[in-house]
Amino acid sequence: MASDDDQKVRVLGVWNSPFSAMVKLALKLKGVQYEYIEEDLQNKGPLLLESNPVHKKIPVLIHGRKPVAESVVILEYINETWPENPLLPNDPYERAQARFWAKFIEEKCGRAIWTAYGTQGEEKEKAIKDAEEGLKILEEGLKGKFFNGETIGFLDIVACGIAFWLPVLEEAADIKFFDPEKLPRLRCWTEEYTKVELVKEAFPPRDKLLPAFKAYRDQMFGPKDSST
Amino acid sequence: MASDDDQKVRVLGVWNSPFSAMVKLALKLKGVQYEYIEEDLQNKGPLLLESNPVHKKIPVLIHGRKPVAESVVILEYINETWPENPLLPNDPYERAQARFWAKFIEEKCGRAIWTAYGTQGEEKEKAIKDAEEGLKILEEGLKGKFFNGETIGFLDIVACGIAFWLPVLEEAADIKFFDPEKLPRLRCWTEEYTKVELVKEAFPPRDKLLPAFKAYRDQMFGPKDSST
């Protein structure tokens, strides 16, 4: 018999991680109550180590006693476990398109954006170029107000780093990933996205993110770094 | 109204690619008839360029006029479009576990194995170590005869490179990725896998793969390469 404990939902995360934010937002969009547990990555807790022994990384969703790791895998699990407010389209072909773009966002855009933030010199320049290219292609894939139409869904969640973290990383690491005039759909999408109430609840505010990411960059390259 | 053309299934692939083989095997397991089109990657055909304009890579599944790219996305699409002989478990939690391991196989094992084959010296040594580590972890995730029980499913398909290509790459590039005595579950799994009739139909035979991968390596590093 299912007890309350079997239904309890916990999220292990880090406050400034877009991957943790994805999981929080998906649960909020589904109306699922959860307990959020902030992890200290310098001193990982036993719950994280035992619930994601392979990668020892956040985020982890623990549903009852069952842990799920990897943000996109967690999103699919949330969508299949709580069918209300579907995050993915019903049609298998449209669902395949969403999964294709999710992979693209993760592997082409996200990876390049984080690399640009975390490197200097040539490596940084190359990553900025890669990110620019990825974002340009993504612009073409964006057809409506959100990626799958009029409401926020799977792909918008996966792309949250582009709406929220990208402008912060740009300022923290003195980067310009794209000219909003040249990618008008991505610009409008960011504006619409950041207006949504549930999104504001799930995501950390810019005025907390910016000093944190400035400080990490200073730690990596020194506080007076102004090189490209 | 659906015409025959809307139902026609085509696969664009390359004969020696495990990613192409995954798609073929999934269709065979579903009993879906398809037309296979061999692509020349040195001279990509218009059908490939227009059906995967983002990556311009194989494999692509074209269902009617609708193209799907990215091997794991294709597998999910096949599974959802033809419900007979499910490739993924019915339970959302088990399905999440399968997706977690698929990502692990792709990103940890597969990437390292191909890097080891395609490099030399320190880079090769590091990749061999990474692959060894990944395969050791994968061994622990393997519980039954196949990854999801008694019959071949999603994860076995995703891991086909480990059963079929790994031994070929080992011989072609003078590598030992793992000692079969130390990873007995992976060894048994490989033996069972390679016995399955449909698998033999979908995958290229070792005696064709080996000279091809020896020749590619010779092209990269010269025919007399015996360095690590």
Side-chain angles (χ1 to χ4, degrees):
Chain A
M1 230 171 73
S3 73
D4 277 1
D5 269 7
D6 290 334
Q7 292 310 315
K8 199 170 143 186
V9 176
R10 288 173 289 176
V11 176
L12 313 185
V14 164
W15 72 273
N16 58 16
S17 152
F19 305 100
S20 302
M22 283 181 208
V23 176
K24 287 182 187 175
L25 177 58
L27 290 168
K28 282 184 192 288
L29 289 168
K30 290 285 188 177
V32 175
Q33 297 290 322
Y34 63 90
E35 180 193 348
Y36 173 72
I37 300 166
E38 178 75 13
E39 280 292 326
D40 173 2
L41 295 186
Q42 305 308 316
N43 185 19
K44 293 176 184 175
L47 193 58
L48 176 59
L49 297 176
E50 78 196 33
S51 55
N52 188 3
V54 170
H55 300 297
K56 304 173 181 70
K57 279 185 186 166
I58 56 99
V60 180
L61 177 89
I62 308 179
H63 188 194
R65 288 173 186 82
K66 295 182 289 187
V68 186
E70 294 281 358
S71 48
V72 173
V73 176
I74 297 173
L75 294 186
E76 294 252 19
Y77 177 76
I78 290 173
N79 193 48
E80 293 179 350
T81 303
W82 294 280
E84 52 276 25
N85 308 328
L87 302 175
L88 276 162
N90 278 326
D91 174 68
Y93 184 71
E94 288 178 33
R95 208 153 47 234
Q97 294 308 98
R99 289 184 180 127
F100 171 88
W101 285 109
K103 218 172 149 65
F104 182 83
I105 291 167
E106 215 187 341
E107 295 178 4
K108 296 285 163 185
C109 306
R111 212 165 279 168
I113 290 166
W114 287 99
T115 302
Y117 166 75
T119 54
Q120 275 184 311
E122 262 181 51
E123 214 178 335
K124 185 180 173 185
E125 288 309 311
K126 192 194 168 296
I128 293 173
K129 234 184 179 128
D130 289 346
E132 271 174 351
E133 269 178 37
L135 293 167
K136 229 165 124 184
I137 294 172
L138 191 61
E139 167 94 0
E140 326 247 310
L142 187 51
K143 305 278 185 232
K145 182 171 162 187
F146 293 110
F147 276 98
N148 271 308
E150 284 303 298
T151 53
I152 285 195
F154 181 75
L155 264 189
D156 305 291
I157 302 175
V158 172
C160 74
I162 297 172
F164 281 75
W165 274 259
L166 179 144
V168 168
L169 302 185
E170 280 190 324
E171 192 168 335
D174 194 21
I175 294 171
K176 196 81 205 151
F177 283 114
F178 72 98
D179 175 354
E181 298 306 312
K182 289 195 182 146
L183 302 184
R185 292 184 208 163
L186 268 182
R187 191 199 60 209
C188 292
W189 169 80
T190 299
E191 283 167 16
E192 292 295 338
Y193 199 153
T194 48
K195 274 189 221 161
V196 178
E197 271 315 309
L198 280 181
V199 168
K200 290 187 207 165
E201 285 175 26
F203 290 1
R206 181 184 164 86
D207 61 8
K208 269 189 77 184
L209 282 180
L210 185 58
F213 281 101
K214 273 188 174 163
Y216 300 142
R217 179 122 184 133
D218 287 351
Q219 269 171 32
M220 288 188 277
F221 304 114
K224 304 232 168 197
D225 161 58
S226 64
S227 73
T228 54
Chain B
M1 230 173 71
S3 72
D4 277 1
D5 268 7
D6 291 335
Q7 293 310 313
K8 198 171 146 184
V9 175
R10 287 172 291 176
V11 176
L12 313 186
V14 164
W15 73 272
N16 58 14
S17 152
F19 304 100
S20 302
M22 283 181 206
V23 176
K24 287 182 186 175
L25 178 57
L27 290 169
K28 281 183 190 290
L29 289 167
K30 290 284 188 178
V32 176
Q33 297 290 322
Y34 63 90
E35 180 193 348
Y36 173 73
I37 300 165
E38 178 76 12
E39 280 293 327
D40 173 3
L41 296 185
Q42 305 309 315
N43 184 20
K44 293 175 185 178
L47 194 58
L48 176 60
L49 297 176
E50 78 195 32
S51 56
N52 188 5
V54 171
H55 300 297
K56 303 173 182 69
K57 278 184 184 167
I58 56 98
V60 180
L61 177 89
I62 309 178
H63 187 194
R65 288 170 185 83
K66 296 182 289 186
V68 186
E70 293 282 359
S71 49
V72 173
V73 176
I74 297 173
L75 294 185
E76 294 252 15
Y77 177 76
I78 290 173
N79 193 47
E80 293 178 352
T81 303
W82 294 280
E84 53 275 24
N85 308 328
L87 302 175
L88 276 160
N90 277 327
D91 174 69
Y93 184 70
E94 287 177 36
R95 205 150 51 231
Q97 294 308 100
R99 289 184 179 127
F100 171 88
W101 285 108
K103 218 171 149 63
F104 181 84
I105 290 166
E106 215 185 342
E107 295 179 4
K108 295 288 162 184
C109 306
R111 212 165 278 170
I113 290 166
W114 287 100
T115 303
Y117 166 75
T119 54
Q120 274 184 311
E122 262 181 51
E123 214 180 334
K124 183 179 174 185
E125 287 309 311
K126 193 193 166 300
I128 293 172
K129 232 183 180 128
D130 289 346
E132 270 174 352
E133 268 177 41
L135 293 167
K136 228 165 127 182
I137 293 171
L138 191 62
E139 167 93 3
E140 324 248 309
L142 187 52
K143 305 280 188 230
K145 182 171 162 188
F146 293 110
F147 276 98
N148 271 306
E150 285 302 300
T151 53
I152 284 194
F154 181 74
L155 264 188
D156 305 291
I157 301 175
V158 172
C160 73
I162 298 172
F164 280 75
W165 274 258
L166 181 143
V168 167
L169 302 184
E170 281 189 323
E171 192 168 336
D174 195 21
I175 295 171
K176 196 79 207 153
F177 283 114
F178 72 96
D179 175 354
E181 297 305 312
K182 288 193 181 146
L183 303 184
R185 292 183 208 162
L186 268 182
R187 191 199 59 210
C188 291
W189 168 80
T190 300
E191 283 168 13
E192 293 295 337
Y193 200 152
T194 47
K195 273 189 223 163
V196 178
E197 271 317 309
L198 280 181
V199 168
K200 289 188 211 164
E201 285 175 26
F203 290 1
R206 183 186 164 84
D207 61 7
K208 268 189 77 184
L209 282 179
L210 185 57
F213 282 101
K214 272 188 174 162
Y216 301 142
R217 182 129 181 128
D218 286 351
Q219 267 170 32
M220 288 189 276
F221 305 114
K224 304 235 167 195
D225 162 57
S226 64
S227 75
T228 55

